[in-house]
Every structure is written in structure tokens, then in C-alpha cells.
Amino acid sequence: MSVAIAPTPDPLEHREGRPRRLFRELERPGQIVSNLTPNWFASIMGTGIVAVAAASLPVQFPGLRTGATVVWAIAAVLLVALTIATGLHWLRSRDVAARHHLNPVISHFYGAPPMASLTVGAGTLLLGRDWIGLPAAVTVDWVLWTVGTIGGLVTAVLVPYLAFTRHENGPDSAFGGWLMPIVPPMVSASTGALLLPYAPAGQVRATLLWGCCACFGLSLITSLVVITLIWNRLVRHSIGSAGMVPTLWIVLGPVGQSITAVNLLASNAPTAVDADTARALMSVALVYGFAMLGFALLWTALALAVTVRTARQHLPFSLTWWSFTFPVGTCVTGLNGLALHSGLTAVSGLAVVYYTGLVAAWITVAIRTFHGSVIRGNLLAPPQST
């Protein structure tokens, strides 16, 4: 669902020779990882969701699954690369890395690494099995789900605790990034549902099902609280800086992911509970899913209107643009589940519309990120002295 905050643009970066100097600085490995923050894992989330959403899209066509599997592979490679880079960041720039949790903005993005792990794991089970086989895919997904779930539960407790006790937040501080550390348990609920058929039957499978439901509740209630704070900030303190406007889209993350979770849990519940309970869960999935879909459509319209308005004035590129990807992708996966269970053509069409927007956003942001990090080097450059 992530987003990321880029270093403040240097007013000299467009002068002749500046990009080349930055690129030379980044040739030293220590410089490449010196400014690496956890929000970079948003790129993995945004890439992985493109693949995961395609796997269950109501409208399938030749080449879609193959293309989605390639995108999953890219996300998997990025996960490995960024994990290694993060380790190097802690080794080479420990004084910087050890202060991230005290930053009232960056700390919230510690929710990105767990969600990146969970997204790649789900893609492995849904798509990667075509290349590595089902047994290996299940094993990889179990590992990534376990790591992501534990990490997500830690961020859901630790980051709010720090916000309550250590961070200084003003009346206008609430923004979409506040959702990042509390949404991972919702992603665990969705991806855990996919693992239900592969869990040992009996107590283990039932425990996984109801544990996923508990994760769903944990994330849903806290997300509703934060979304209320964001709405209050927008009404009382205006939209804020242009660079933070993309983070409005993060609100769609818990909304779309919750629809996804209830539908996946309902789909796989018959493997863990009796028929009556499974039917009840399916009813809940449909009623809750369509009710929450109404809010998703409302927020999409509001976020789109604000984004277009800001873009007409000036919307500078930064890593916050990854907010246009994962949250929208969760709406696609939620719509995919509703289309499957309701059989409504209108919902299938809406899923395709959202997926088209997701792909367009991903291509745009991926190209801009590649250009900023590899070609110009300014996204990875350490803060410049003044």
C-alpha cells in the first residue's frame, strides 16, 4: 500500500554536470545505501500487486499470466536486492539507520518491508509455481508469509507506540503514511487465506483461518481510526504540500485489502470449517465487500480530483508516487473476489477499469523511479550539505 518519501530536491540538480556528479557519487557502494529508507520497499509492493491482481482478474487473455509472472519475478528480485541493500545500510550507516524509527514520517514506513514480503509470497503461490513448481512455491510462500506476518504485527504495535510516546505530531500531521504500519496484518489475512488449503487439516488449519480473521479485525479497526484523522486533517487544515498529495491514495489500501481478505477467507473457509460456518462467511464477504466498495469508489473520486487539481498546478515526482500503485491494486483484488462470488458483470468491468489504471500508474512510476535512481541518481544520493 506503500509510498515513500524522497530526499528534498536540491535546487542545483538541474544545472549542467549535476546528474553526472551524483552518478559518480553513487558508484561507491557505501554512498548507494547511505540514504536507504524503508519506504523503498513500496516499489516491491507496487510491482508485486500488478502480478497478483492479474492472476484472478475476471477477464483473462493470452499472455496475461505470462506477463504477470514476469512482473512477479521482477518483484522477487527487487525484494532480494533491497533486503541485501538494507543490511548494508545498517552495516555502513548504522548511525543513520538507527534513527529512522524516531522520525515521525519515515518510521511509519517500516510497514512496507512486511507487506513487500507478503505480496511477493502471494505472487509465488499464484504465479511463481508455473516456473518453480507447486511444492517449492508453497514453501517459499510459507516462509515469506511467516516473516511478513511477524514483521507486520511488530510494526502494528511498535510504530503506534512510538507515535504515542516519542514522536512530535501537530494537529495537521495525519497523512496516508500513518496507515502503513497497521495495514500489514490485513495483508497477512488475505495471503494467509491462500495458504489455508496447504495447511495441515484440523486444528492448524482452523487456527490459521481464525487467526487471519483476528488480523483482519486488528487492521480494520485501527485503519478506521486513522482514516478519520486523515479526513479531519483534510477538512480543517487543507490538502497540504503537493508532494504529499499522492499519499491520499494510501487510504484505498486497507479498504481494498479488507474486501480482498473477506472474499479470500470465504473462498477457502470450506477447507477449515463446517458448511454452515462457511456459508455465513460467504454472506459476510458479500455484504461487507459491497458496503466497503461504496467507500472505495467515493475515495477514488476524491483522491483523483485532488490529484488532478494538484497536477495542473505542479505535482513534483518523488517516491510518494508509488501510492498510486499498491492501494489501487488492492481494490482490483477485492473487485476480483466480489466478481467471482456475485457473478455481476458490472463488477468484473470495474475490476478491469481499476486494473488498467494500476498498470498505467505502475509503468509511469517505475520509469520515473528508474530514471531518478539509476540515470540521474538523485533518489539514492545522500543529503547534500549546504
Side-chain angles (χ1 to χ4, degrees):
M1 236 189 351
S2 162
V3 134
I5 305 298
T8 302
D10 190 312
L12 300 177
E13 74 173 357
H14 296 295
R15 295 184 182 179
E16 185 177 359
R18 172 67 172 168
R20 184 175 300 173
R21 184 166 68 255
L22 282 171
F23 191 80
R24 284 201 303 269
E25 291 174 354
L26 293 177
E27 289 177 347
R28 298 193 296 273
Q31 295 290 348
I32 293 176
V33 300
S34 65
N35 197 42
L36 192 67
T37 49
N39 38 34
W40 272 94
F41 283 84
S43 62
I44 302 171
M45 295 165 56
T47 301
I49 198 66
V50 173
V52 171
S56 58
L57 197 68
V59 178
Q60 295 286 315
F61 54 86
L64 177 62
R65 186 174 180 86
T66 301
T69 307
V70 171
V71 174
W72 158 79
I74 294 173
V77 171
L78 286 174
L79 178 61
V80 174
L82 274 177
T83 300
I84 295 173
T86 299
L88 292 174
H89 174 59
W90 276 88
L91 287 173
R92 296 173 178 270
S93 306
R94 184 179 297 274
D95 57 333
V96 176
R99 293 197 300 268
H100 288 333
H101 72 285
L102 297 177
N103 186 298
V105 173
I106 293 177
S107 61
H108 291 279
F109 293 100
Y110 270 112
M115 286 190 282
S117 176
L118 293 165
T119 304
V120 172
T124 304
L125 184 61
L126 295 172
L127 299 162
R129 64 184 186 183
D130 293 350
W131 290 1
I132 66 176
L134 182 59
V138 171
T139 300
V140 170
D141 193 17
W142 272 118
V143 172
L144 293 178
W145 183 84
T146 301
V147 171
T149 298
I150 293 174
L153 291 174
V154 170
T155 65
V157 174
L158 182 59
V159 176
Y161 172 78
L162 291 172
F164 298 163
T165 61
R166 303 290 297 276
H167 300 162
E168 294 185 7
N169 295 301
D172 60 344
S173 295
F175 76 113
W178 282 16
L179 292 164
M180 292 294 294
I182 58 179
V183 173
M186 186 71 79
V187 183
S188 290
S190 299
T191 54
L194 294 172
L195 286 168
L196 278 172
Y198 306 100
Q203 284 289 315
V204 174
R205 191 175 296 176
T207 300
L208 177 60
L209 171 65
W210 297 117
C212 288
C213 289
C215 287
F216 168 87
L218 180 161
S219 187
L220 176 64
I221 301 302
T222 51
S223 293
L224 291 176
V225 172
V226 173
I227 291 172
T228 302
L229 294 173
I230 294 172
W231 189 291
N232 177 71
R233 192 264 294 176
L234 291 171
V235 171
R236 302 188 62 182
H237 302 283
S238 76
I239 295 170
S241 65
M244 296 301 286
V245 165
T247 66
L248 291 176
W249 290 84
I250 299 180
V251 172
L252 288 178
V255 175
Q257 197 68 62
S258 68
I259 300 174
T260 304
V262 293
N263 278 274
L264 286 175
L265 288 168
S267 292
N268 294 286
T271 66
V273 295
D274 59 84
D276 290 339
T277 303
R279 282 194 294 269
L281 288 173
M282 182 61 70
S283 297
V284 170
L286 287 170
V287 174
Y288 173 88
F290 277 104
M292 192 58 81
L293 175 60
F295 181 73
L297 294 173
L298 168 65
W299 195 268
T300 299
L302 290 172
L304 182 61
V306 172
T307 302
V308 171
R309 175 180 178 271
T310 305
R312 286 177 176 174
Q313 299 170 353
H314 179 55
L315 182 59
F317 175 75
S318 71
L319 294 179
T320 59
W321 282 34
W322 282 102
S323 299
F324 298 138
T325 57
F326 187 81
V328 175
T330 67
C331 290
V332 178
T333 55
L335 286 164
N336 291 348
L338 286 177
L340 174 65
H341 294 146
S342 69
L344 295 177
T345 304
V347 179
S348 297
L350 194 58
V352 173
V353 170
Y354 267 81
Y355 189 71
T356 301
L358 168 63
V359 172
W362 175 71
I363 292 174
T364 301
V365 180
I367 291 174
R368 295 293 297 271
T369 302
F370 180 83
H371 183 268
S373 59
V374 177
I375 305 302
R376 296 189 65 85
N378 56 305
L379 291 182
L380 283 171
Q384 301 296 308
S385 60
T386 56

